[in-house]
Each structure stands twice: as C-alpha cells, then as structure tokens.
Amino acid sequence: MAYDRITSHDEYLKAVEQYQDYEAGTYQSMTLKERMDFLL
C-alpha cells in the first residue's frame, strides 16, 4: 500500500473510517508487512 495524499474532506473521512474499524491492540498482533501498510 502506497501513501496517498489526502486532498479532500471526503478522503479524510474515508481514512478515519478505515482506522476506526481496527480494535484496540490489533497493531500488536500484526506482522511487519501489515504494520507497514497500516502506518503508510
């Protein structure tokens, strides 16, 4: 997953919605590749 610059409010809301789907602590159980995709 490559970083895409957020250029509109709609894109921002979509990104926020994506991150809200993750439960607390999910990051700790991710593989390195999943963490890189999550952070970028």
Side-chain angles (χ1 to χ4, degrees):
M1 177 176 164
Y3 172 76
D4 293 325
R5 181 175 213 118
I6 295 175
T7 58
S8 72
H9 186 68
D10 290 335
E11 289 178 20
Y12 168 77
L13 292 176
K14 189 188 326 180
V16 168
E17 184 177 314
Q18 175 189 355
Y19 286 107
Q20 287 178 341
D21 290 341
Y22 290 105
E23 293 184 25
T26 301
Y27 180 80
Q28 295 174 2
S29 65
M30 290 180 175
T31 64
L32 180 59
K33 177 160 180 14
E34 290 171 331
R35 287 181 183 189
M36 295 301 292
D37 288 341
F38 177 80
L39 294 173
L40 299 176

